[in-house]
Amino acid sequence: MPINLVEAKEQHLLFTFKLANDKETIKNSILRKKITLEQHTIWFNRFLNSRNKILKIIYFNKNPIGLIRLEKKYRNYYLSYSIDARFRRRGYASLALLKFMKKIKMNKKIKKIIALVKKKNTASIKIFNKLNFIDIYYKKKIFKYEYKI
């Protein structure tokens, strides 16, 4: 499958806003709330202009279908992703994350990646297990997965 990862640009603002406010995305999000376009624009611009954050847009056949986000907080790197509702449950997230992880392994600064996943988010749990993330602990209905590079 032709999955490509592209550096997010200003033109992706509305696409990422739509993903952030998708019902299932909100349900599986740690924050669990809708955001305004103004809030999203501030977040998006900070992400684009930071050296400690990576935002990739997932493309399938030249169409954006999702995103992958990696953010450094303190000494840890946190990974999250989202797939457009029309493209879920087809294996695209696994393929995109696998491609992303291969590129991240080349970065000597990143030693460990963490993903926080709600206990009820079985699709993400399957994906992170498939990608060899290790379940470190469960706290308040959230799993913490780690991947050591």
Side-chain angles (χ1 to χ4, degrees), residues 15 21 25 27 31-32 46-47 51 56 60 70 73 76 83 93 99 104 108 116 127 130 139 148:
F15 173 72
N21 282 317
T25 300
K27 183 180 99 180
L31 297 176
R32 269 195 88 139
R46 283 184 185 155
F47 232 89
R51 284 185 272 145
K56 298 284 187 179
F60 174 71
L70 188 68
K73 293 182 183 176
N76 295 313
I83 299 291
K99 193 171 202 171
I104 289 300
K108 303 290 185 205
L116 301 175
I127 288 170
K130 183 178 178 179
K139 181 180 179 181
K148 293 189 179 176

Side-chain angles (χ1 to χ4, degrees), residues 88 141 145:
R88 291 182 186 139
K141 300 181 183 178
Y145 284 90

